[in-house]
Amino acid sequence: MNAAGGIAMLIGYLVGSLVIGALLGLIPFFLGRRRGADGLGTAGLICCIISNLFGLGIVAAIIFVIIILIKG
């Protein structure tokens, strides 16, 4: 693989990871809005996007869903 292929692969990983993290983050975001915890929902969305870069997006989404359900 040449240098251009490696850079393209890295960009593809970053963009794909951010998109999947955003989709996962929509779960706690909308759940938080529905249960009156807008701040937690927004924090869940941001944390899912960032943590999905490290492969932990699903874990962050589950944790925020549990926190929102317990708090509500």
Side-chain angles (χ1 to χ4, degrees):
M1 178 181 345
N2 57 12
I7 293 173
M9 203 161 112
L10 179 64
I11 292 172
Y13 172 76
L14 290 175
V15 170
S17 183
L18 292 175
V19 169
I20 297 299
L23 290 174
L24 284 172
L26 288 177
I27 297 168
F29 179 74
F30 285 124
L31 183 66
R33 288 187 68 193
R34 174 177 258 202
R35 302 196 38 113
D38 293 340
L40 273 175
T42 305
L45 175 66
I46 293 169
C47 284
C48 285
I49 292 171
I50 294 171
S51 65
N52 201 48
L53 290 172
F54 305 107
L56 299 171
I58 294 173
V59 175
I62 291 171
I63 289 172
F64 271 95
V65 165
I66 290 171
I67 291 171
I68 291 170
L69 289 176
I70 289 174
K71 187 176 181 208

